[in-house]
Amino acid sequence: MPIGYAFPSSDAITLEEGTWTPSLGGNTTYTAQSGNYTKIGKMVFLNGSIAVTAIGTGSTYVISGMPFVSGTGYWGLSVGYSISLATAVVSMELVTTGGTTMYVFSRTAANVSSAANPIFGNGTQLFFSGCFMTA
């Protein structure tokens, strides 16, 4: 054993796996909405997908229903696939900052910074994944 080795704490690190349902709220209807997660201690690995039939009164850039409250700070998740977005963008990311919602920030060709542009509309599909620490 190396000098200065620190033994792990006596606190058990738990492993949890499950599903969650991403939502845009309002009266949005979906072709599909699903998500999976793996939680190891305070670290959550998350993926999800949303396929909107009709946006109705749902949010055009906020996804709710995360299975755990994220820690404070900015936690970014990646978008792996998107189709039929309501706004043409050149980049997109999901950000959570201490709650159970994710905000879709995107950058249009004309902008030098990301903003909360309307992304979701009728027919939009979004697949995403990433990780964050819980509160």
Side-chain angles (χ1 to χ4, degrees):
M1 183 171 323
I3 295 174
Y5 178 80
F7 287 95
S9 88
S10 61
D11 295 340
I13 295 178
T14 59
L15 171 69
E16 181 181 340
E17 295 179 317
T19 60
W20 68 288
T21 305
S23 173
L24 302 179
N27 63 354
T28 302
T29 57
Y30 307 89
T31 304
Q33 61 184 136
S34 64
N36 295 295
Y37 69 86
T38 300
K39 182 175 185 272
I40 303 170
K42 292 184 128 198
M43 180 65 72
V44 178
F45 300 88
L46 178 95
N47 68 58
S49 64
I50 292 181
V52 176
T53 303
I55 191 70
T57 59
S59 176
T60 59
Y61 68 93
V62 178
I63 300 171
S64 60
M66 288 171 49
F68 301 97
V69 174
S70 67
T72 58
Y74 290 92
W75 299 94
L77 291 87
S78 299
V79 175
Y81 176 77
S82 62
I83 190 169
S84 299
L85 300 177
T87 300
V89 299
V90 295
S91 68
M92 187 171 24
E93 63 274 345
L94 300 173
V95 176
T96 182
T97 61
T100 58
T101 56
M102 291 179 274
Y103 301 88
V104 183
F105 289 106
S106 58
R107 188 172 304 186
T108 62
N111 291 330
V112 295
S113 298
S114 294
N117 298 304
I119 293 298
F120 292 104
N122 298 340
T124 300
Q125 294 180 36
L126 197 70
F127 295 79
F128 53 91
S129 64
C131 62
F132 63 92
M133 295 289 285
T134 59

